[in-house]
Amino acid sequence: MTARAVMAPLRVNQAQQLQWQQQADLVVVGFGGAGASAAIEAASRGLSVLALERFAGGGATALSGGVVYAGGGTPQQQQAGYPDSRAAMFAYLRQEVGDAVSEPTLRSFCDASADQLSWLERQGVVFEGSMAPHKTSYPSDRYYLYYSGNEAVPAYAATAEPAPRGHRAKGHGLSGASLFAALADSARRQGVTVRTQCQVRRLVIDRDDQVVGVEAWQLPQGSRAARQHARLSRWAAAVHMYAPALSARLRARLQRIEQASARPILIRALHGVLLSSGGFVFNRTLLQQFAPRYLAGLPLGSSGCDGSGIELGRSAGGSLGQMHKVSAWRFINPPLAWARGLIVNARGERYCNEEVYGATLGHDMVEMHDGRALLILDRHLRNQALRQVGPGKVWSFQRLPVLLNLLFNCRRGNSLEQLAQRCKLPAPALRNSVDTYGRAARGEIDDPLGKSPAMRHDLSQGPWYCLDLSYDSRLYPCPTLTLGGLRVCEQSGQVLDERGRPITGLYAAGRCAVGVASNLYVSGLSLADCVFSGRRAAAHVAERHASHPSPQGEHPCNV
């Protein structure tokens, strides 16, 4: 559903004047990681829950690597022999989270981290403490604990004691499907009702500006349209990373089926509506408006990440935050050899410690260097990279881009001047970058960008090679996901209006909302925030259920 499919709210004097087809204490819009976590929490507190899902369920969570960022001394960290503390986790995340959330909220997130992981385990998600031996963007099936961000990079470790906090759910391949399956099963066991192929197009609001329900449109179960919709949605997800244009055409067909065949249902939300349908990376209009420099990236997410939940919130007066924040993933490890080379911009200047987390490199590349990133290697690193991505050593999605770029996107120079000419770089600047980097690698000076000694490499001997890994590269597409969304009260998860007042009955969680992961991305932080924010909203709805406050009785939330 695009923003055009979101209609203005249906306004009524009071909820009782409508003929509702169904009702629940909490209506969840989007059954992914955040929605499922909220549904489980609400059901466990005695609430009736109805989840409405446009597709089959899972969203970006099911497509992800299933990594949950957690620390403070989890059993898995202890099993692997890595001490950690809440204070160290907070000190590290303060550097990544910035001012996306307040210090008390971030501290609460860190303090609850180990317990949150235990909560996931009680739902059936399995974790273990097998530690990845090397820094990687995603470990193999042999390992389920790793440094998923910048924790061990010297500049960050100087402020916060490092520890591995990337807890990958146990499962074959990308673990997101296993993680979501456990959450979905737990939700259904606890009595949560899930309507799939059901699209919320507008909210219902009473005369007191309280959200009292939704108008959803559902494909008839078992119909030809429903079967075709399910098949096309699977195809769109399967081909997206390899043929994004084809995937976009399939999504357009999905919307035409929905518009032609879905039927309306009015659903009463007795105590709250939660928007948890993902971000807006597939919404070109919103990207053009808030983050136009990211339009050339490869959208990362599910077909539901089209901003529809955000637009539903806006239709009720919700305000937006961090909408310009988009994460671009320029991972250059694996192979580890690439991270030992050096990255320069279009001026031939080195600008980033190459061992940093891929989203940090991507941020610097797009925000400060016009999307340019050229990786300089020598013959030793080039050959080493080929060995490091050999069969059985890395995932196929990690191997294939490396091989394609080494074979078809690699320019060679017998001298740095020749390489500069072939890559249209200023030769003196490139020579200076390589020479300075070499001096640091030989221990003559400290590395100007703080790279670890073990990750440096002397590039003084040619021949040299240059790989253009810039943001708009066709052979090395740069995955992107949006981080901003609806502003919410950090104590309740209620959507805030332009004056910072909570909108009664309306909540947002996950990538629909501003949260812990809304500044700079770290692997696992978004999933951890989905669980945290979803459960937070459900807890507040349960409090409303218990006390039945009037709209004027809501607790103030000043942010």
Side-chain angles (χ1 to χ4, degrees), residues 236 239-252 282 298-299:
V239 305
H240 173 66
M241 296 300 288
Y242 311 100
L246 173 59
S247 182
R249 290 196 293 272
L250 293 173
R251 289 195 301 275
F282 283 109
L298 176 65

Side-chain angles (χ1 to χ4, degrees), residues 202-252:
R202 62 174 167 174
L203 301 173
V204 183
I205 300 177
D206 69 12
R207 64 188 174 195
D208 297 316
D209 291 326
Q210 175 173 322
V211 175
V212 295
V214 302
E215 182 181 272
W217 291 67
Q218 182 160 29
L219 294 173
Q221 291 185 341
S223 66
R224 181 176 181 274
R227 292 194 301 272
Q228 186 180 20
H229 185 274
R231 184 170 61 252
L232 290 176
S233 65
R234 290 194 298 270
W235 288 354
V239 305
H240 173 66
M241 296 300 288
Y242 311 100
L246 173 59
S247 182
R249 290 196 293 272
L250 293 173
R251 289 195 301 275

Side-chain angles (χ1 to χ4, degrees), residues 213-486:
V214 302
E215 182 181 272
W217 291 67
Q218 182 160 29
L219 294 173
Q221 291 185 341
S223 66
R224 181 176 181 274
R227 292 194 301 272
Q228 186 180 20
H229 185 274
R231 184 170 61 252
L232 290 176
S233 65
R234 290 194 298 270
W235 288 354
V239 305
H240 173 66
M241 296 300 288
Y242 311 100
L246 173 59
S247 182
R249 290 196 293 272
L250 293 173
R251 289 195 301 275
R253 288 181 61 186
L254 285 170
Q255 187 170 11
R256 289 194 293 270
I257 292 171
E258 293 161 352
Q259 294 293 336
S261 302
R263 299 292 178 262
I265 312 167
L266 278 175
I267 300 172
R268 173 81 164 99
L270 296 172
H271 295 286
V273 171
L274 172 69
L275 303 173
S276 54
S277 56
F280 63 95
V281 74
F282 283 109
N283 189 311
R284 308 296 286 180
T285 301
L286 287 178
L287 273 178
Q288 179 65 53
Q289 179 181 357
F290 292 104
R293 66 180 65 188
Y294 289 94
L295 285 166
L298 176 65
L300 187 66
S302 73
S303 295
C305 297
D306 61 358
S308 55
I310 294 170
E311 290 291 11
L312 283 168
R314 276 218 291 191
S315 74
S319 59
L320 305 180
Q322 303 291 96
M323 292 290 283
H324 63 294
K325 291 289 188 177
V326 177
S327 183
W329 293 4
R330 180 48 81 222
F331 286 106
I332 60 170
N333 176 23
L336 190 64
W338 278 17
R340 299 186 68 204
L342 69 88
I343 292 280
V344 298
N345 57 23
R347 298 182 297 275
E349 302 163 344
R350 181 174 176 236
Y351 62 85
C352 188
N353 176 351
E354 297 80 7
E355 69 179 311
V356 296
Y357 175 62
T360 305
L361 172 56
H363 175 269
D364 288 355
M365 173 181 70
V366 177
E367 294 289 337
M368 292 175 277
H369 296 277
D370 298 320
R372 299 304 305 279
L374 296 101
L375 175 63
I376 309 299
L377 307 171
D378 61 10
R379 177 180 289 167
H380 173 78
L381 291 181
R382 180 181 180 273
N383 293 340
Q384 191 177 66
L386 286 168
R387 292 193 297 270
Q388 289 173 349
V389 297
K393 295 184 178 180
V394 296
W395 294 102
S396 59
F397 69 82
Q398 295 168 329
R399 178 187 305 111
L400 184 58
V402 173
L403 294 177
L404 286 174
N405 280 275
L406 287 173
L407 292 173
F408 302 110
N409 182 28
C410 189
R411 290 185 172 150
R412 182 181 187 274
N414 290 322
S415 68
L416 286 173
E417 288 69 25
Q418 184 183 57
L419 186 70
Q421 181 182 22
R422 290 178 174 176
C423 299
K424 298 180 180 179
L425 294 172
L430 179 61
R431 167 67 69 179
N432 181 66
S433 295
V434 172
D435 287 349
T436 302
Y437 184 62
R439 291 181 63 202
R442 294 190 297 271
E444 298 170 6
I445 60 171
D446 290 334
D447 183 69
L449 295 175
K451 197 170 191 177
S452 302
M455 291 298 294
R456 305 172 195 170
H457 178 75
D458 186 0
L459 291 170
S460 59
Q461 299 297 315
W464 294 269
Y465 301 85
C466 177
L467 284 72
D468 190 346
L469 306 182
S470 298
Y471 185 64
D472 59 359
S473 171
R474 292 185 178 182
L475 274 181
Y476 204 37
C478 190
T480 57
L481 75 160
T482 56
L483 303 178
L486 294 162

Side-chain angles (χ1 to χ4, degrees), residues 28-38 53 57-62 180 183-184 276-277 527 530:
V28 175
V29 181
F31 193 58
S37 296
E53 166 58 43
T61 296
F180 177 73
L183 290 177
S276 54
S277 56
L527 273 183
C530 283

Side-chain angles (χ1 to χ4, degrees), residues 110-130:
C110 295
D111 289 348
S113 181
D115 288 341
Q116 178 163 282
L117 205 69
S118 297
W119 181 87
L120 284 169
E121 289 180 311
R122 291 196 297 275
Q123 313 316 315
V125 185
V126 179
F127 300 97
E128 69 172 44
S130 50

Side-chain angles (χ1 to χ4, degrees), residues 36-281:
S37 296
I40 293 167
E41 184 70 25
S44 72
R45 291 170 178 258
L47 275 63
S48 60
V49 183
L50 172 62
L52 308 176
E53 166 58 43
R54 183 187 172 196
F55 301 103
T61 296
L63 299 176
S64 75
V67 178
V68 177
Y69 196 89
T74 68
Q76 293 75 24
Q77 290 176 318
Q78 295 173 23
Q79 176 187 341
Y82 287 87
D84 193 18
S85 68
R86 298 172 179 177
M89 181 181 178
F90 174 84
Y92 169 69
L93 284 180
R94 183 79 279 174
Q95 301 172 78
E96 302 282 16
V97 171
D99 61 356
V101 297
S102 67
E103 183 172 312
T105 296
L106 180 59
R107 198 171 294 281
S108 295
F109 174 81
C110 295
D111 289 348
S113 181
D115 288 341
Q116 178 163 282
L117 205 69
S118 297
W119 181 87
L120 284 169
E121 289 180 311
R122 291 196 297 275
Q123 313 316 315
V125 185
V126 179
F127 300 97
E128 69 172 44
S130 50
M131 178 66 187
H134 303 292
K135 175 67 176 173
T136 179
S137 60
Y138 191 71
S140 72
D141 273 348
R142 296 174 58 192
Y143 307 107
Y144 292 91
L145 179 68
Y146 72 119
Y147 285 98
S148 63
N150 289 309
E151 298 87 354
V153 175
Y156 295 83
T159 302
E161 188 69 25
R165 302 189 185 102
H167 292 66
R168 178 187 162 205
K170 197 78 181 288
H172 296 295
L174 293 176
S175 299
S178 299
L179 185 147
F180 177 73
L183 290 177
D185 289 346
S186 176
R188 289 187 170 94
R189 285 196 305 271
Q190 298 194 47
V192 174
T193 301
V194 182
R195 279 183 177 264
T196 57
Q197 296 183 311
C198 187
Q199 177 187 43
V200 174
R201 295 187 186 174
R202 62 174 167 174
L203 301 173
V204 183
I205 300 177
D206 69 12
R207 64 188 174 195
D208 297 316
D209 291 326
Q210 175 173 322
V211 175
V212 295
V214 302
E215 182 181 272
W217 291 67
Q218 182 160 29
L219 294 173
Q221 291 185 341
S223 66
R224 181 176 181 274
R227 292 194 301 272
Q228 186 180 20
H229 185 274
R231 184 170 61 252
L232 290 176
S233 65
R234 290 194 298 270
W235 288 354
V239 305
H240 173 66
M241 296 300 288
Y242 311 100
L246 173 59
S247 182
R249 290 196 293 272
L250 293 173
R251 289 195 301 275
R253 288 181 61 186
L254 285 170
Q255 187 170 11
R256 289 194 293 270
I257 292 171
E258 293 161 352
Q259 294 293 336
S261 302
R263 299 292 178 262
I265 312 167
L266 278 175
I267 300 172
R268 173 81 164 99
L270 296 172
H271 295 286
V273 171
L274 172 69
L275 303 173
S276 54
S277 56
F280 63 95
V281 74

